[in-house]
Amino acid sequence: MDAADEQRFREFVSARSPALMRLGFLLTGGDQHAAEDLVQTALAKLASRWRRVETPEAYAKQIMYRQQISWWRASTRRGEVVQATPPELADRDANHQSELRMVLRTALARLTARQRAVVVLRYFEDLPEQEVARALGCSVGTVRSTAHRSLARLREIAPELAQELEVAK
């Protein structure tokens, strides 16, 4: 990478790191350290291919999706299961949006990595089912059924999100 490419890469990292961190945070179920690792891995792989990549953000996101699935597959072979318990929530008040974000983060953490990836890509990234399937390396039918089961599981885990989840239907 020459100096001009390095400068463009640094500008990309500076401009897009917050958005990539948010995506990483969602994909990892709210695990800050895992999200940082995910973004760092994606940026390292992107840097090695910087000259050949036409759309760096899309490429970085694709790396993140696939890396998260790869880590999930590796952890299932080891038998690791990460569980988070939802926090006790007070009655709705002025902090309702903050509480919803906390509940959503906790609920997402309780989904499997594949379910979380489908929900994040489909509803947070607003990708069509075909693109989600392509990103995750599965069929459109798998995306549809996983999304359906994931939303049902989210309704079960966090009933307080029911109204927000109705919009996603």
Side-chain angles (χ1 to χ4, degrees), residues 14-138:
S14 176
R16 301 310 304 154
S17 284
L20 293 174
M21 270 304 297
R22 281 190 299 275
L23 177 61
F25 195 75
L26 290 169
L27 286 172
T28 60
D31 184 337
Q32 181 72 26
H33 298 292
E36 290 169 356
D37 289 344
L38 192 59
V39 171
Q40 183 176 8
T41 299
L43 290 175
K45 288 182 178 185
L46 174 61
S48 68
R49 294 170 180 87
W50 181 253
R51 284 185 173 184
R52 296 183 299 263
V53 175
E54 291 180 24
T55 54
E57 185 167 5
Y59 189 78
K61 288 179 178 182
Q62 182 81 7
I63 293 169
M64 290 173 68
Y65 307 147
R66 291 186 175 170
Q67 187 66 45
Q68 180 61 21
I69 293 298
S70 174
W71 287 346
W72 169 74
R73 286 181 180 143
S75 71
T76 58
R77 283 193 294 271
R78 290 190 306 263
E80 296 176 11
V81 177
V82 179
Q83 294 287 327
T85 56
E88 294 296 323
L89 296 176
D91 290 337
R92 292 183 180 216
D93 59 0
N95 296 323
H96 177 66
Q97 291 299 320
S98 296
E99 289 176 1
L100 279 178
R101 280 193 296 274
M102 288 174 47
V103 171
L104 180 60
R105 181 175 57 204
T106 302
L108 284 172
R110 293 183 63 194
L111 296 176
T112 67
R114 171 169 258 167
Q115 288 175 326
R116 191 170 42 250
V118 168
V119 168
V120 169
L121 296 176
R122 185 73 181 100
Y123 301 109
F124 288 93
E125 290 290 311
D126 200 27
L127 294 178
E129 292 168 338
Q130 294 81 5
E131 286 186 38
V132 175
R134 191 172 28 255
L136 299 180
C138 63

